[in-house]
Amino acid sequence: MPGHFEPIPGGGAAVALDEVEISIIRSLAVQLLELIGPGPAEDASADPLAELFAEGPSEPPADPVLRRLFPDAYSDPEQAPASPAEAEEREAHSAEFRRYTENDLRAGKRDNALAVIHTLDALSPVGEGGAVLKLSPEESRCWLSALNDLRLAIGARLEITEEDDTDLLYRLPDEDPRKPMVMAYLWLGGLQETLVTTLMP
């Protein structure tokens, strides 16, 4: 179990984490929450129907990490628009889609990051500051989504655009200032991969 998720009875997953690993994941989840931003203010007098139809932003985020987490729905980097009119149409469709979906997407990512923090905070230390994290099937899905978001965020900061770039990351010299972030990126990828395996039927 050390270093990777394993299935547990009932459809959940478990992984042994040491104190440093717990601290790293929690810190990254908190940073992700701060980046995504707060949700709508909790107001008992707020109109739930109005909140349901509240519009989100129509422009892509300025931050490259947020652009990776909330990409344009109708942009295809592999296929350039055939004409300025097509480019304008794509942009209009993307803005419309973003306006009505981004708030919900942000809420979902926020909930997943909070689930990671809450499950880590509920851990009981075992041995030398480590603990065994046991997740229910629902918590496992939250963790899987959050791990994916964390890797996307780190990948954006590292400017990873192609899967082949990960091969280069393994060969970074120790003195490279990106090395700690690269190690976190690769480690989270391993966790994500083993968690996916535990959730497969």
Side-chain angles (χ1 to χ4, degrees):
M1 186 184 302
H4 61 272
F5 279 99
E6 292 184 358
I8 57 176
V15 62
L17 299 170
D18 64 31
E19 194 172 0
V20 173
E21 292 169 335
I22 293 168
S23 175
I24 290 171
I25 296 174
R26 192 185 189 287
S27 174
L28 289 172
V30 168
Q31 290 177 54
L32 183 63
L33 273 178
E34 291 171 352
L35 187 63
I36 292 170
E42 293 183 7
D43 182 357
S45 65
D47 180 355
L49 192 60
E51 186 175 320
L52 181 65
F53 291 102
E55 293 186 7
S58 59
E59 295 294 321
D63 188 292
V65 173
L66 290 175
R67 279 202 305 275
R68 183 76 64 92
L69 292 173
F70 305 104
D72 274 335
Y74 292 90
S75 69
D76 184 359
E78 304 275 323
Q79 185 178 3
S83 66
E86 184 182 338
E88 190 175 323
E89 184 180 4
R90 280 192 195 179
E91 191 175 321
H93 287 316
S94 291
E96 188 76 0
F97 186 83
R98 184 180 296 279
R99 183 178 296 119
Y100 293 109
T101 60
E102 187 167 312
N103 284 345
D104 287 342
L105 291 173
R106 282 180 182 259
K109 292 180 186 300
R110 196 179 297 112
D111 289 346
N112 292 331
L114 282 170
V116 168
I117 293 167
H118 292 155
T119 52
L120 291 176
D121 288 349
L123 284 176
S124 301
V126 177
E128 301 174 356
V132 175
L133 175 70
K134 293 182 179 179
L135 302 174
S136 68
E138 183 180 349
E139 290 169 337
S140 296
R141 288 187 287 275
C142 290
W143 264 74
L144 187 58
S145 295
L147 287 172
N148 186 61
D149 288 340
L150 290 174
R151 291 192 77 237
L152 284 173
I154 295 172
R157 289 286 184 246
L158 291 170
E159 299 182 347
I160 297 173
T161 55
E162 300 290 339
E163 194 59 37
D164 291 341
D165 288 343
T166 56
D167 295 334
L168 300 173
L169 298 179
Y170 282 104
R171 297 195 294 272
L172 276 182
D174 289 342
E175 60 273 13
D176 192 302
R178 297 171 296 169
K179 187 77 172 191
M181 200 181 297
V182 166
M183 297 305 292
Y185 177 82
L186 297 172
W187 171 59
L188 291 174
L191 284 177
Q192 182 183 11
E193 187 176 341
T194 58
L195 185 52
V196 166
T197 302
T198 68
L199 294 174
M200 291 174 69

PDB file of all heavy atoms in Angstrom, residues 25-50:
ATOM      1  N   ILE A  25       0.028  17.285  -0.116  1.00  0.00           N
ATOM      2  CA  ILE A  25      -1.278  17.200  -0.788  1.00  0.00           C
ATOM      3  C   ILE A  25      -2.225  18.245  -0.227  1.00  0.00           C
ATOM      4  O   ILE A  25      -2.938  18.929  -0.974  1.00  0.00           O
ATOM      5  CB  ILE A  25      -1.890  15.790  -0.639  1.00  0.00           C
ATOM      6  CG1 ILE A  25      -1.023  14.757  -1.336  1.00  0.00           C
ATOM      7  CG2 ILE A  25      -3.308  15.763  -1.234  1.00  0.00           C
ATOM      8  CD1 ILE A  25      -1.462  13.319  -1.113  1.00  0.00           C
ATOM      9  N   ARG A  26      -2.230  18.401   1.103  1.00  0.00           N
ATOM     10  CA  ARG A  26      -3.138  19.374   1.718  1.00  0.00           C
ATOM     11  C   ARG A  26      -2.798  20.794   1.261  1.00  0.00           C
ATOM     12  O   ARG A  26      -3.680  21.588   0.923  1.00  0.00           O
ATOM     13  CB  ARG A  26      -3.076  19.281   3.239  1.00  0.00           C
ATOM     14  CG  ARG A  26      -4.194  20.065   3.920  1.00  0.00           C
ATOM     15  CD  ARG A  26      -4.068  20.069   5.431  1.00  0.00           C
ATOM     16  NE  ARG A  26      -5.262  20.632   6.027  1.00  0.00           N
ATOM     17  CZ  ARG A  26      -5.578  21.926   6.015  1.00  0.00           C
ATOM     18  NH1 ARG A  26      -4.783  22.806   5.411  1.00  0.00           N
ATOM     19  NH2 ARG A  26      -6.691  22.359   6.574  1.00  0.00           N
ATOM     20  N   SER A  27      -1.504  21.108   1.245  1.00  0.00           N
ATOM     21  CA  SER A  27      -1.070  22.438   0.829  1.00  0.00           C
ATOM     22  C   SER A  27      -1.458  22.718  -0.621  1.00  0.00           C
ATOM     23  O   SER A  27      -1.946  23.802  -0.951  1.00  0.00           O
ATOM     24  CB  SER A  27       0.446  22.574   1.002  1.00  0.00           C
ATOM     25  OG  SER A  27       0.904  23.792   0.477  1.00  0.00           O
ATOM     26  N   LEU A  28      -1.278  21.736  -1.493  1.00  0.00           N
ATOM     27  CA  LEU A  28      -1.642  21.912  -2.901  1.00  0.00           C
ATOM     28  C   LEU A  28      -3.149  22.092  -3.061  1.00  0.00           C
ATOM     29  O   LEU A  28      -3.602  22.908  -3.865  1.00  0.00           O
ATOM     30  CB  LEU A  28      -1.165  20.712  -3.722  1.00  0.00           C
ATOM     31  CG  LEU A  28       0.348  20.591  -3.927  1.00  0.00           C
ATOM     32  CD1 LEU A  28       0.697  19.256  -4.581  1.00  0.00           C
ATOM     33  CD2 LEU A  28       0.877  21.749  -4.772  1.00  0.00           C
ATOM     34  N   ALA A  29      -3.936  21.338  -2.286  1.00  0.00           N
ATOM     35  CA  ALA A  29      -5.394  21.463  -2.364  1.00  0.00           C
ATOM     36  C   ALA A  29      -5.846  22.842  -1.891  1.00  0.00           C
ATOM     37  O   ALA A  29      -6.751  23.446  -2.475  1.00  0.00           O
ATOM     38  CB  ALA A  29      -6.065  20.360  -1.538  1.00  0.00           C
ATOM     39  N   VAL A  30      -5.210  23.357  -0.839  1.00  0.00           N
ATOM     40  CA  VAL A  30      -5.539  24.701  -0.341  1.00  0.00           C
ATOM     41  C   VAL A  30      -5.191  25.752  -1.402  1.00  0.00           C
ATOM     42  O   VAL A  30      -5.972  26.677  -1.661  1.00  0.00           O
ATOM     43  CB  VAL A  30      -4.810  24.990   0.982  1.00  0.00           C
ATOM     44  CG1 VAL A  30      -4.906  26.468   1.351  1.00  0.00           C
ATOM     45  CG2 VAL A  30      -5.381  24.127   2.109  1.00  0.00           C
ATOM     46  N   GLN A  31      -4.030  25.604  -2.031  1.00  0.00           N
ATOM     47  CA  GLN A  31      -3.638  26.548  -3.085  1.00  0.00           C
ATOM     48  C   GLN A  31      -4.609  26.491  -4.260  1.00  0.00           C
ATOM     49  O   GLN A  31      -4.937  27.528  -4.858  1.00  0.00           O
ATOM     50  CB  GLN A  31      -2.226  26.223  -3.564  1.00  0.00           C
ATOM     51  CG  GLN A  31      -1.141  26.539  -2.540  1.00  0.00           C
ATOM     52  CD  GLN A  31       0.235  26.123  -3.037  1.00  0.00           C
ATOM     53  OE1 GLN A  31       0.658  26.521  -4.115  1.00  0.00           O
ATOM     54  NE2 GLN A  31       0.933  25.314  -2.255  1.00  0.00           N
ATOM     55  N   LEU A  32      -5.081  25.285  -4.590  1.00  0.00           N
ATOM     56  CA  LEU A  32      -6.056  25.143  -5.670  1.00  0.00           C
ATOM     57  C   LEU A  32      -7.359  25.859  -5.316  1.00  0.00           C
ATOM     58  O   LEU A  32      -7.932  26.575  -6.145  1.00  0.00           O
ATOM     59  CB  LEU A  32      -6.322  23.664  -5.941  1.00  0.00           C
ATOM     60  CG  LEU A  32      -7.277  23.347  -7.095  1.00  0.00           C
ATOM     61  CD1 LEU A  32      -6.715  23.832  -8.431  1.00  0.00           C
ATOM     62  CD2 LEU A  32      -7.568  21.851  -7.154  1.00  0.00           C
ATOM     63  N   LEU A  33      -7.794  25.705  -4.064  1.00  0.00           N
ATOM     64  CA  LEU A  33      -9.000  26.403  -3.607  1.00  0.00           C
ATOM     65  C   LEU A  33      -8.844  27.912  -3.742  1.00  0.00           C
ATOM     66  O   LEU A  33      -9.756  28.605  -4.199  1.00  0.00           O
ATOM     67  CB  LEU A  33      -9.278  26.072  -2.138  1.00  0.00           C
ATOM     68  CG  LEU A  33     -10.098  24.825  -1.834  1.00  0.00           C
ATOM     69  CD1 LEU A  33     -10.214  24.641  -0.324  1.00  0.00           C
ATOM     70  CD2 LEU A  33     -11.473  24.902  -2.456  1.00  0.00           C
ATOM     71  N   GLU A  34      -7.692  28.418  -3.336  1.00  0.00           N
ATOM     72  CA  GLU A  34      -7.445  29.863  -3.407  1.00  0.00           C
ATOM     73  C   GLU A  34      -7.447  30.335  -4.859  1.00  0.00           C
ATOM     74  O   GLU A  34      -7.942  31.423  -5.175  1.00  0.00           O
ATOM     75  CB  GLU A  34      -6.109  30.204  -2.744  1.00  0.00           C
ATOM     76  CG  GLU A  34      -6.136  30.014  -1.225  1.00  0.00           C
ATOM     77  CD  GLU A  34      -4.759  30.150  -0.590  1.00  0.00           C
ATOM     78  OE1 GLU A  34      -3.753  30.232  -1.343  1.00  0.00           O
ATOM     79  OE2 GLU A  34      -4.681  30.172   0.647  1.00  0.00           O
ATOM     80  N   LEU A  35      -6.909  29.515  -5.742  1.00  0.00           N
ATOM     81  CA  LEU A  35      -6.853  29.879  -7.161  1.00  0.00           C
ATOM     82  C   LEU A  35      -8.246  29.885  -7.790  1.00  0.00           C
ATOM     83  O   LEU A  35      -8.601  30.796  -8.545  1.00  0.00           O
ATOM     84  CB  LEU A  35      -5.944  28.896  -7.904  1.00  0.00           C
ATOM     85  CG  LEU A  35      -5.632  29.216  -9.356  1.00  0.00           C
ATOM     86  CD1 LEU A  35      -4.865  30.521  -9.472  1.00  0.00           C
ATOM     87  CD2 LEU A  35      -4.838  28.090  -9.982  1.00  0.00           C
ATOM     88  N   ILE A  36      -9.046  28.871  -7.464  1.00  0.00           N
ATOM     89  CA  ILE A  36     -10.401  28.781  -8.014  1.00  0.00           C
ATOM     90  C   ILE A  36     -11.262  29.927  -7.508  1.00  0.00           C
ATOM     91  O   ILE A  36     -12.098  30.461  -8.225  1.00  0.00           O
ATOM     92  CB  ILE A  36     -11.039  27.422  -7.668  1.00  0.00           C
ATOM     93  CG1 ILE A  36     -10.312  26.301  -8.422  1.00  0.00           C
ATOM     94  CG2 ILE A  36     -12.530  27.401  -8.001  1.00  0.00           C
ATOM     95  CD1 ILE A  36     -10.713  24.909  -7.975  1.00  0.00           C
ATOM     96  N   GLY A  37     -11.032  30.320  -6.266  1.00  0.00           N
ATOM     97  CA  GLY A  37     -11.767  31.440  -5.695  1.00  0.00           C
ATOM     98  C   GLY A  37     -12.980  30.980  -4.907  1.00  0.00           C
ATOM     99  O   GLY A  37     -13.423  29.837  -5.019  1.00  0.00           O
ATOM    100  N   PRO A  38     -13.532  31.885  -4.106  1.00  0.00           N
ATOM    101  CA  PRO A  38     -14.678  31.537  -3.268  1.00  0.00           C
ATOM    102  C   PRO A  38     -15.942  31.351  -4.087  1.00  0.00           C
ATOM    103  O   PRO A  38     -16.066  31.872  -5.199  1.00  0.00           O
ATOM    104  CB  PRO A  38     -14.808  32.741  -2.327  1.00  0.00           C
ATOM    105  CG  PRO A  38     -14.252  33.879  -3.118  1.00  0.00           C
ATOM    106  CD  PRO A  38     -13.143  33.293  -3.960  1.00  0.00           C
ATOM    107  N   GLY A  39     -16.875  30.613  -3.505  1.00  0.00           N
ATOM    108  CA  GLY A  39     -18.176  30.434  -4.149  1.00  0.00           C
ATOM    109  C   GLY A  39     -19.081  31.604  -3.835  1.00  0.00           C
ATOM    110  O   GLY A  39     -18.679  32.559  -3.153  1.00  0.00           O
ATOM    111  N   PRO A  40     -20.314  31.540  -4.325  1.00  0.00           N
ATOM    112  CA  PRO A  40     -21.267  32.602  -4.014  1.00  0.00           C
ATOM    113  C   PRO A  40     -21.451  32.728  -2.509  1.00  0.00           C
ATOM    114  O   PRO A  40     -21.411  31.735  -1.792  1.00  0.00           O
ATOM    115  CB  PRO A  40     -22.561  32.117  -4.683  1.00  0.00           C
ATOM    116  CG  PRO A  40     -22.136  31.102  -5.680  1.00  0.00           C
ATOM    117  CD  PRO A  40     -20.879  30.486  -5.162  1.00  0.00           C
ATOM    118  N   ALA A  41     -21.640  33.935  -2.032  1.00  0.00           N
ATOM    119  CA  ALA A  41     -21.808  34.159  -0.596  1.00  0.00           C
ATOM    120  C   ALA A  41     -23.022  33.390  -0.098  1.00  0.00           C
ATOM    121  O   ALA A  41     -24.065  33.361  -0.738  1.00  0.00           O
ATOM    122  CB  ALA A  41     -21.984  35.646  -0.320  1.00  0.00           C
ATOM    123  N   GLU A  42     -22.849  32.745   1.041  1.00  0.00           N
ATOM    124  CA  GLU A  42     -23.958  31.996   1.616  1.00  0.00           C
ATOM    125  C   GLU A  42     -24.890  32.970   2.316  1.00  0.00           C
ATOM    126  O   GLU A  42     -24.548  33.574   3.313  1.00  0.00           O
ATOM    127  CB  GLU A  42     -23.433  30.945   2.598  1.00  0.00           C
ATOM    128  CG  GLU A  42     -22.641  29.855   1.909  1.00  0.00           C
ATOM    129  CD  GLU A  42     -22.178  28.787   2.876  1.00  0.00           C
ATOM    130  OE1 GLU A  42     -22.589  28.850   4.054  1.00  0.00           O
ATOM    131  OE2 GLU A  42     -21.418  27.912   2.469  1.00  0.00           O
ATOM    132  N   ASP A  43     -26.055  33.101   1.751  1.00  0.00           N
ATOM    133  CA  ASP A  43     -27.027  34.059   2.270  1.00  0.00           C
ATOM    134  C   ASP A  43     -28.370  33.355   2.332  1.00  0.00           C
ATOM    135  O   ASP A  43     -28.922  32.946   1.310  1.00  0.00           O
ATOM    136  CB  ASP A  43     -27.100  35.279   1.344  1.00  0.00           C
ATOM    137  CG  ASP A  43     -28.063  36.335   1.862  1.00  0.00           C
ATOM    138  OD1 ASP A  43     -28.702  36.086   2.906  1.00  0.00           O
ATOM    139  OD2 ASP A  43     -28.177  37.387   1.215  1.00  0.00           O
ATOM    140  N   ALA A  44     -28.890  33.216   3.554  1.00  0.00           N
ATOM    141  CA  ALA A  44     -30.140  32.488   3.747  1.00  0.00           C
ATOM    142  C   ALA A  44     -31.283  33.149   2.995  1.00  0.00           C
ATOM    143  O   ALA A  44     -32.256  32.507   2.614  1.00  0.00           O
ATOM    144  CB  ALA A  44     -30.470  32.393   5.235  1.00  0.00           C
ATOM    145  N   SER A  45     -31.179  34.463   2.771  1.00  0.00           N
ATOM    146  CA  SER A  45     -32.274  35.174   2.110  1.00  0.00           C
ATOM    147  C   SER A  45     -32.112  35.189   0.589  1.00  0.00           C
ATOM    148  O   SER A  45     -32.942  35.740  -0.118  1.00  0.00           O
ATOM    149  CB  SER A  45     -32.346  36.616   2.630  1.00  0.00           C
ATOM    150  OG  SER A  45     -31.173  37.309   2.267  1.00  0.00           O
ATOM    151  N   ALA A  46     -31.014  34.612   0.100  1.00  0.00           N
ATOM    152  CA  ALA A  46     -30.783  34.620  -1.351  1.00  0.00           C
ATOM    153  C   ALA A  46     -31.856  33.796  -2.055  1.00  0.00           C
ATOM    154  O   ALA A  46     -32.355  32.814  -1.526  1.00  0.00           O
ATOM    155  CB  ALA A  46     -29.401  34.054  -1.660  1.00  0.00           C
ATOM    156  N   ASP A  47     -32.178  34.214  -3.258  1.00  0.00           N
ATOM    157  CA  ASP A  47     -33.184  33.520  -4.051  1.00  0.00           C
ATOM    158  C   ASP A  47     -32.523  32.319  -4.731  1.00  0.00           C
ATOM    159  O   ASP A  47     -31.671  32.495  -5.610  1.00  0.00           O
ATOM    160  CB  ASP A  47     -33.742  34.494  -5.090  1.00  0.00           C
ATOM    161  CG  ASP A  47     -34.797  33.859  -5.977  1.00  0.00           C
ATOM    162  OD1 ASP A  47     -35.023  32.635  -5.853  1.00  0.00           O
ATOM    163  OD2 ASP A  47     -35.386  34.577  -6.799  1.00  0.00           O
ATOM    164  N   PRO A  48     -32.888  31.081  -4.343  1.00  0.00           N
ATOM    165  CA  PRO A  48     -32.220  29.914  -4.937  1.00  0.00           C
ATOM    166  C   PRO A  48     -32.463  29.799  -6.441  1.00  0.00           C
ATOM    167  O   PRO A  48     -31.610  29.317  -7.166  1.00  0.00           O
ATOM    168  CB  PRO A  48     -32.837  28.719  -4.185  1.00  0.00           C
ATOM    169  CG  PRO A  48     -34.061  29.241  -3.516  1.00  0.00           C
ATOM    170  CD  PRO A  48     -33.878  30.714  -3.343  1.00  0.00           C
ATOM    171  N   LEU A  49     -33.628  30.276  -6.896  1.00  0.00           N
ATOM    172  CA  LEU A  49     -33.917  30.214  -8.327  1.00  0.00           C
ATOM    173  C   LEU A  49     -33.011  31.169  -9.104  1.00  0.00           C
ATOM    174  O   LEU A  49     -32.476  30.830 -10.162  1.00  0.00           O
ATOM    175  CB  LEU A  49     -35.383  30.553  -8.579  1.00  0.00           C
ATOM    176  CG  LEU A  49     -35.912  30.258  -9.990  1.00  0.00           C
ATOM    177  CD1 LEU A  49     -35.775  28.775 -10.302  1.00  0.00           C
ATOM    178  CD2 LEU A  49     -37.354  30.695 -10.120  1.00  0.00           C
ATOM    179  N   ALA A  50     -32.803  32.365  -8.525  1.00  0.00           N
ATOM    180  CA  ALA A  50     -31.918  33.341  -9.167  1.00  0.00           C
ATOM    181  C   ALA A  50     -30.488  32.807  -9.203  1.00  0.00           C
ATOM    182  O   ALA A  50     -29.767  32.981 -10.188  1.00  0.00           O
ATOM    183  CB  ALA A  50     -31.971  34.669  -8.425  1.00  0.00           C
TER     184      ALA A  50
END
